[in-house]
Every structure is written in C-alpha cells, then in structure tokens.
Amino acid sequence: MSKTELNLTTWNRREHYEFFSSFDEPFFGIVSTVDFTKGYQNIKDNGYPYFLYYLHKAVKTANDIEPFRYRIEEDNGYIYDKIHASATIGREDHTFGFSFIEYDEDFKVFQANAQKEIEAVRNSTGLRFDNNAKRMDSLHISSIPWYNFTGISHARHFQYRDSVPKISFGKYTKEKGKINLPISIHVHHALMDGYHVGLYLEEFQRLLNE
C-alpha cells in the first residue's frame, strides 16, 4: 500500500478540501448510463465473465483518473499508487460478503485473483468485514443485476471518516440495438468535483469501447 501525502499548501483545491472535509455528509453522487453495446459484444466474443469484465474496466479507470486514488486519513490527504476492488459478492442464500480483489492491468491475472476471492466469499458466511475489506486503497463496488435504476443512495456511518469512492452497476437494458448500463458514482467532495466524475465516465466508456 504505497502512498504519498497530498501537498495541500500548493493544491488549487485546498479551500475546497477544507470546506467539504467538515461536512457531516461530504459525499455527492452521480447516476448515469454508459453505452455497453461494444463491451457486451466483447464479452460474448471472448467468453469473459460478465461482472469481472466491467469490474476490471472500472478499477482501471479509477487508477487512471488520479483523484479516484485520493484518500483522507487522520485529517491528511494521500495519493495511493494503486487501488484495488472491494466488491460485494452474492451467495446462493441471497446474502453477500465483502471481497478484496487485487488489481492487475492484465485482465487474465485480475480474473484469476477475482475468481479465487469470489470462491472464498461463497464458501464463507457473514459479511467478511476483515482488514482487507477496510483497506483504503480500494473502490467499494456493488452490482445490482435485478433491476435498472435512475437513482441510488448508500448506507453511511457518519462517525466513520470514509473517503473511498462507491460505484454501483444496475441491470442493463436494450433499446433500438443499443445496450445501456446504469452506473452510480459516489465520491468525497473534498477530494474531487463533478468534473472529475465526468472524466471517469468518459474514460470508462472509452475502455468499454476498446
């Protein structure tokens, strides 16, 4: 978990950081859709696991867009060199557990890491809220494949100083030959603004279209 401290003195968002850090609810959320047509075809053509395919793209995007690697720890700002995936994994009994999936730019390596962790979650009980689930160098990611959504909120513990971005995906829909995938992004306003979420969506779309 390599990280460096943000230089708040020279940061052009220093006042934004100080202002929003004092909020009881410093997170803001954006709900949008991405064009999943080409991504879905890549999954079909190559036999990729559906969830792991876009999960890998989501984590790669966060590693590429620097503010998504910013975190607040003990009232200081940090930049992590690399972040990973903390995804909720469902079980057959309709419970879920937290996972920690190490990111690798190579999809095959990432897939192997993910499948090992998914198997561990499905063979366990409870939340698995262990030290890995609490790591700051991660994204909190969930998939809600049962329905489409146009809005979403998250359970929050306000006494816990959280700054990890939260990304959720819903059920895709088809319309006139186009596949739309709903996505929600909740981020800490002291660390980024709507502009940076826009950069994330743009890069995520580009990766899906590769």
Side-chain angles (χ1 to χ4, degrees):
M1 289 190 287
S2 180
K3 63 185 178 182
T4 55
E5 190 169 349
L6 274 169
N7 188 339
L8 300 180
T9 303
T10 60
W11 193 19
N12 64 348
R13 295 191 71 262
R14 179 179 60 84
E15 289 190 15
H16 305 70
Y17 175 88
E18 294 172 348
F19 181 73
F20 288 109
S21 290
S22 65
F23 278 36
D24 292 330
E25 171 54 300
F27 275 73
F28 74 95
I30 301 292
V31 176
S32 187
T33 59
V34 291
D35 185 345
F36 196 45
T37 310
K38 290 183 179 179
Y40 186 80
Q41 192 61 49
N42 285 337
I43 291 170
K44 289 293 187 181
D45 291 344
N46 295 284
Y48 294 141
Y50 172 75
F51 172 61
L52 296 185
Y53 179 82
Y54 67 69
L55 177 64
H56 183 256
K57 303 291 188 186
V59 183
K60 176 173 172 47
T61 303
N63 275 287
D64 291 342
I65 306 299
E66 185 176 286
F68 279 79
R69 292 187 278 115
Y70 294 173
R71 300 292 184 270
I72 300 173
E73 300 176 40
E74 298 179 354
D75 296 323
N76 294 317
Y78 293 91
I79 311 172
Y80 277 94
D81 291 348
K82 182 191 287 189
I83 56 171
H84 311 277
S86 179
T88 55
I89 304 298
R91 303 186 181 97
E92 289 187 0
D93 66 356
H94 306 299
T95 65
F96 70 86
F98 297 119
S99 71
F100 181 83
I101 302 170
E102 187 173 349
Y103 172 70
D104 195 285
E105 192 164 342
D106 186 323
F107 176 68
K108 291 183 178 179
V109 176
F110 177 81
Q111 181 180 340
N113 293 338
Q115 289 174 332
K116 181 179 179 180
E117 183 71 354
I118 290 170
E119 187 70 16
V121 174
R122 289 178 175 168
N123 288 326
S124 68
T125 58
L127 283 174
R128 293 179 88 244
F129 190 52
D130 55 20
N131 288 333
N132 274 340
K134 300 173 186 176
R135 284 176 59 159
M136 299 292 285
D137 60 335
S138 65
L139 291 178
H140 293 163
I141 298 181
S142 57
S143 177
I144 308 170
W146 307 284
Y147 42 79
N148 186 16
F149 59 69
T150 56
I152 193 171
S153 62
H154 292 279
R156 293 265 286 121
H157 184 10
F158 291 120
Q159 293 179 333
Y160 174 66
R161 297 292 299 276
D162 186 13
S163 60
V164 176
K166 302 169 195 325
I167 300 177
S168 299
F169 297 95
K171 181 179 180 180
Y172 69 79
T173 58
K174 295 182 179 180
E175 183 179 0
K176 297 180 180 178
K178 180 182 177 182
I179 299 176
N180 295 309
L181 180 68
I183 177 175
S184 79
I185 303 173
H186 285 70
V187 292
H188 200 298
H189 213 343
L191 300 176
M192 70 181 89
D193 305 313
Y195 168 76
H196 304 102
V197 176
L199 291 179
Y200 182 96
L201 287 168
E202 183 179 349
E203 178 63 11
F204 182 57
Q205 182 67 75
R206 188 189 72 79
L207 292 177
L208 288 176
N209 289 342
E210 282 185 339

